[in-house]
Amino acid sequence: MVRRARSLARRAGRPVVDLARSHTTVSVERATLRLAGLGGADHENIPWVNHLVDAVRDGVGLEHGVALPVWDALGRDVAPDLTTLAQKAAAGGVDFRVPEGAARTRAGRSSRSAVARGIRAIDSQRRRRDRLITRHGDPAATPWIYLIVATGDIYEDIPQAQAAAREGADVIAVIRSTGQSLLDFVPEGATREGYAGTYATQENFRLMRAALDETSKELGRYIRLTNYASGLCMPEIATLAGLERLDMMLNDSMYGILFRDINPIRTFVDQRFSRQIHARAGIIINTGEDNYLTTADAVEAAHTVTVSQLLNEYFAKEAGLEDWQLGLGHAFEIDPSIPDSFRLELAHALLARELFPEAPLKWMPPTKHMTGDIFRGYLLDGFFNLVGAMTGQGILLVGMMTEAVVTPWLSDRDLALQNVRYVLNAAGGLAEDFHPPRDGMIQTRARHVLAEAVDLLETILADTDGAGDPPLLAAIADGTFGAMRRPPTKGKGLDGVVRRAAGYVNPAIDLLESGATR
Amino acid sequence: MSAVRAHEARRRRENPEPGELSLAESSTPEPGPLIRPYGDTTGDGMVQVSFTLPLPHDKRAEGAAVRMAQAMGMDPALLVHAKAMGPHFTFFVVYGPVRHLVDIREIEIVEREFELLSSKEVNQAIRKHLRRKLVVVGACIGTDAHTVGIDAILNIKGFAGEKGLEYYREMTVHNLGAQVLIPDLVESAREVRADAVLVSQVVTQREAHLHNTRAMSAAFREAFPAGRVPHLIVGGPRFEEGSAADLGVDRIFGRGTTPGEVASYLVHALVRPTDTHPHTRSRSSRSA
């Protein structure tokens, strides 16, 4: 049954990968320029990578990629460097062309050497992480304790993150400002203004990583940093994360499509590039299956989580990620008022554990049934922690009793960590003893969910639409996931998708796929 | 401690201090009109609070916590728990009686101005008086990606055991989902000739929900001729009831609103027995 599920996921995913390999997006091209070292923004904070990609697109289109026209222009001495070229291009003063013959070879070679410097910077950050982990050590036990910081101001986030690490957090996630996923550019610099979170910028990444390096040294434990590679700039944010040594990134294959109404093709193209970067950078991805359960019923839709995990696994491995990098998500979202809700949670969590034995599963706390009754919420979080302990989850996102009330206060975090510590201390080893009988309710339920997942995958594979799209796209258009209908011809960011021409060149993708450093 | 509290309550009933309101009347089985919190004895005024002070945990911090609780009206303030949270902060739990009284005669509430109808009655009213489907457009606007609120009201699945508006045969529901741009919302409302637009704002910071609501209202009033603007409804836990006019919308729904309430309200606001012209899209209820 498990093998069958995986093979169905592969069959559903394969045509989508082909689609990703035959398209590019403005964000993939911008990420390529970022790897070549182009940063900064104009006086209106529009990044130079946006200016340059837009100018190339206006001039010769993007179907050949930006690398050839850009390095051809540099080779013709239109400008001494990328930034100057971007500035000139922004003013409309550059005639781009798609070079042919020797000029093409030259542009290809020089773009590869420029982009390779960025790839090597990512490689060197990965080695640095490995060294720091050797020096400071990993957390003493799993699950790793994952805490969220979200003030909107990077300079407030830093002391909060350091305090959270001192209190026991192993992983700090800086929640992004809501709305960033729909920005088609990455903001620049250190930021102090965000809504319900802090903007993901290269400088913010750098500041927080440096602060946590200090704290890691102080605590003798390497504190990991997480952000979000999602939304319209997923490939660029993944690239910045690799360059600034972030350790985990939220990176779901379908989240943007379903919950942000981002065009499906845009998402899958951006997704593949960003996962290739994460694979190279040694970043652990976290997928977003918890989101399905916040919009659908957690019992009825349990199998959609399994299906999404299988698809995420396929897309991740195809992009080069290894098992240890797959923080596949799932969540404790069953209505606590239904009978046996805890046993059902155990069944679902165990299923994920058994399906993906080598992956550091990410276990997400209750949100949907947190009512504002903080006392009841504290108990629910305790039960959530207990499931995490009993089923050997890899990453435990700490639940807050004030979920749905306020963004967490200092005391909320402290109480939440006490809750986690108590449960892990009291029952952390329970996974060892917890082997529910094969004919019991928990195992039976797990088998049932898996069977439903296989059925759903078969339904997806049988799906078609008038345009002859891959079955998975047709299924997404039908509202198969999260009850949201997202046709491939709609959604935000569609105008940034370009079909590759036969002569498309992207040195970043070449280097990522071959593993080469030059 | 409870002996102290009981004693205190008895003293206030029998021998109130000058300027202190007697608890005599609130010890009767009839509630109010003057009330205070209830721990385990009528009139004891017991409350619990927890808070953090930006001080290292020591005797001085504990004294400061007691002083803070007293300033909040708790007297005597009983510090039951103090715990250091790192080197710079201390968390406190304090119990104690508050001296405040609330006169429930002074409480203003927004009474439900409409009758609660069953789904059958809602459908009947629309069929009989509107004689066409009632068109509802819903969305989360601005940066809010949390569709739980709008989904609870619109999705068939519903909320609190009540089916959502999609379940009502006489309603056509368009749920646009999360992070819908205001111009898109206006355009969709125009396209489907919406009778009502429901907007949800769940997660908000720095009053974003208020800015978004005002911007939304302004956009609709600009795009539609006066009197033909769809009925604008916003919902979310952070809105204050009674601020509808200030925000430029027709109705606000707060935390815990059920789909049935919204449906009943829509009938009340948009479907009137006076709508007797099935072939004209009457907007009389709106311009009223």
Side-chain angles (χ1 to χ4, degrees), chain A residues 38-333:
Chain A
L38 180 57
D42 70 7
H43 62 282
E44 283 174 343
N45 282 322
I46 298 169
W48 292 121
V49 289
N50 286 60
H51 279 302
L52 192 48
V53 167
D54 290 350
V56 170
R57 186 173 195 182
D58 291 346
V60 294
L62 284 184
E63 51 272 27
H64 297 274
V66 285
L68 291 177
V70 163
W71 271 270
D72 169 65
L74 288 173
R76 287 184 284 136
D77 289 329
V78 172
D81 54 57
L82 275 175
T83 309
T84 317
L85 182 70
Q87 286 163 350
K88 280 192 171 175
V94 181
D95 279 326
F96 289 104
R97 59 172 197 184
V98 179
E100 305 280 345
R104 180 187 168 92
T105 314
R106 264 200 310 279
R109 201 179 305 135
S110 47
S111 67
R112 184 175 169 116
S113 114
V115 170
R117 276 196 288 279
I119 298 285
R120 288 200 300 278
I122 288 177
D123 291 343
S124 118
Q125 284 287 32
R126 180 177 181 157
R127 287 192 297 274
R128 176 124 193 262
R129 179 191 303 114
D130 292 341
R131 276 202 307 280
L132 288 172
I133 292 173
T134 311
R135 188 179 310 156
H136 301 314
D138 258 327
T142 52
W144 291 349
I145 295 170
Y146 179 115
L147 260 180
I148 286 171
V149 172
T151 69
D153 179 343
I154 187 66
Y155 294 106
E156 287 287 338
D157 289 343
I158 286 174
Q160 290 220 15
Q162 291 180 313
R166 286 185 197 109
E167 294 283 304
D170 301 312
V171 183
I172 300 290
V174 180
I175 287 249
R176 288 198 315 190
S177 176
T178 44
Q180 181 164 7
S181 52
L182 298 184
L183 296 181
D184 211 345
F185 65 94
V186 181
E188 274 289 320
T191 65
R192 313 198 66 161
E193 276 292 313
Y195 285 111
T198 307
Y199 285 104
T201 73
Q202 183 164 13
E203 181 63 6
N204 287 349
F205 286 0
R206 193 188 64 75
L207 288 168
M208 184 60 93
R209 187 58 268 174
L212 292 180
D213 280 348
E214 266 177 44
T215 310
S216 302
K217 195 166 157 192
E218 170 194 325
L219 299 174
R221 171 165 57 95
Y222 184 73
I223 307 297
R224 287 176 168 80
L225 175 60
T226 302
N227 212 287
Y228 295 68
S230 61
L232 291 172
C233 291
M234 185 189 315
E236 293 172 86
I237 291 175
T239 302
L240 299 177
L243 290 169
E244 299 300 338
R245 189 166 36 86
L246 268 66
D247 307 283
M248 287 191 190
M249 293 299 274
L250 275 284
N251 195 218
D252 190 82
S253 62
M254 295 191 292
Y255 174 80
I257 303 171
L258 301 174
F259 297 94
R260 295 287 195 255
D261 194 16
I262 294 174
N263 174 260
I265 301 173
R266 170 83 179 245
T267 299
F268 284 120
V269 177
D270 285 352
Q271 180 65 216
R272 184 162 186 271
F273 184 92
S274 58
R275 287 191 174 188
Q276 289 178 320
I277 293 273
H278 291 146
R280 182 82 177 220
I283 287 173
I284 294 172
I285 63 163
N286 291 182
T287 58
E289 282 79 2
D290 51 297
N291 294 289
Y292 297 113
L293 303 183
T294 60
T295 52
D297 180 85
V299 177
E300 284 167 24
H303 63 293
T304 65
V305 167
T306 308
V307 167
S308 171
Q309 287 168 336
L310 288 161
L311 289 170
N312 262 312
E313 179 193 45
Y314 168 72
F315 288 128
K317 292 209 162 163
E318 193 282 326
L321 288 155
E322 295 175 38
D323 279 320
W324 66 270
Q325 291 175 291
L326 306 187
L328 298 172
H330 58 147
F332 186 96
E333 290 284 19

Side-chain angles (χ1 to χ4, degrees), chain A residues 22-42:
Chain A
S22 58
H23 289 78
T24 185
T25 71
V26 286
S27 186
V28 165
E29 299 302 323
R30 294 194 300 250
T32 308
L33 293 176
R34 286 186 184 277
L35 281 168
L38 180 57
D42 70 7

Side-chain angles (χ1 to χ4, degrees), chain A residues 151 167 178-179 181-182 193-197 259-260 294-295 297 300 371 375 404 407 410-411 414-415 418 492, chain B residues 48 52 83-86 89 91 143-148 151 155 157 176 178-179 181 203 205-206 208 211 255:
Chain A
T151 69
E167 294 283 304
T178 44
S181 52
L182 298 184
E193 276 292 313
Y195 285 111
F259 297 94
R260 295 287 195 255
T294 60
T295 52
D297 180 85
E300 284 167 24
T371 56
F375 304 102
T407 48
L410 187 74
S411 53
D414 188 78
L415 287 163
Q418 287 185 54
K492 300 172 181 109
Chain B
Q48 58 195 357
T52 301
K83 177 187 173 286
M85 293 187 300
F89 295 94
F91 178 66
T143 58
D144 191 356
H146 295 73
T147 58
V148 280
D151 288 342
N155 283 1
K157 178 86 190 151
L176 306 183
Q179 296 191 333
L181 303 174
V203 171
Q205 209 172 38
R206 300 194 183 115
H211 299 302
R255 181 184 286 278

